[in-house]
Amino acid sequence: HVQLVESGGGSVQAGGSLRLSCAASGDTYTLACMAWFRQVPGKEREGVAAIDKDGMASYIDSVKGRFAISRDNAKNTVYLQMNSLKPEDTAMYYCAAVSGARWIGRALDPPQYEYWGQGTQVTVS
């Protein structure tokens, strides 16, 4: 089993930056991919960015060029650097992970992931 704990959310003005962190613990050696999702009330959860164990990253179009996902394998931590934030980026952001046994390469598809953090709120005004 794997536990995920997010941190780094907060409130920022449009154009500002935030960096989210997701620390994984437990059976982290099994993980094939980690990702960030976001959700606003009344809408479906959407994949924002993902990074697999080889460092290959995926992004939704709306954040390309503004967000960057990275991972520190020694610390079992994934980061999401968010720059040029817009009000439409306001959401609860969730970290997610999937083990190699379940990984089929659908990096930004929520049902792909089996482990989820509690979420961290990002508000852009």
Side-chain angles (χ1 to χ4, degrees):
H1 194 70
V2 173
Q3 296 79 41
L4 303 174
V5 178
E6 305 101 331
S7 62
S11 297
V12 65
Q13 291 188 336
S17 299
L18 284 173
R19 188 176 82 154
L20 305 183
S21 299
C22 173
S25 60
D27 298 327
T28 58
Y29 63 91
T30 67
L31 297 180
C33 189
M34 295 183 70
W36 287 96
F37 290 79
R38 64 187 180 188
Q39 189 170 24
V40 298
K43 293 189 177 182
E44 293 186 354
R45 190 169 295 190
E46 69 171 354
V48 176
I51 186 165
D52 68 16
K53 61 182 177 61
D54 297 320
M56 181 172 293
S58 303
Y59 300 92
I60 55 169
D61 287 345
S62 62
V63 306
K64 287 180 180 177
R66 300 189 297 122
F67 290 12
I69 190 170
S70 61
R71 63 192 296 168
D72 184 332
N73 290 330
K75 296 182 178 180
N76 293 316
T77 299
V78 171
Y79 304 96
L80 184 67
Q81 178 66 44
M82 305 185 293
N83 300 324
S84 301
L85 282 161
K86 304 176 181 180
E88 51 263 44
D89 294 317
T90 295
M92 184 71 78
Y93 283 71
Y94 297 91
C95 180
V98 58
S99 64
R102 288 189 53 169
W103 175 237
I104 59 171
R106 301 175 69 170
L108 298 179
D109 189 10
Q112 167 75 103
Y113 293 83
E114 58 194 303
Y115 304 112
W116 292 86
Q118 294 299 306
T120 185
Q121 178 67 37
V122 171
T123 302
V124 185
S125 59

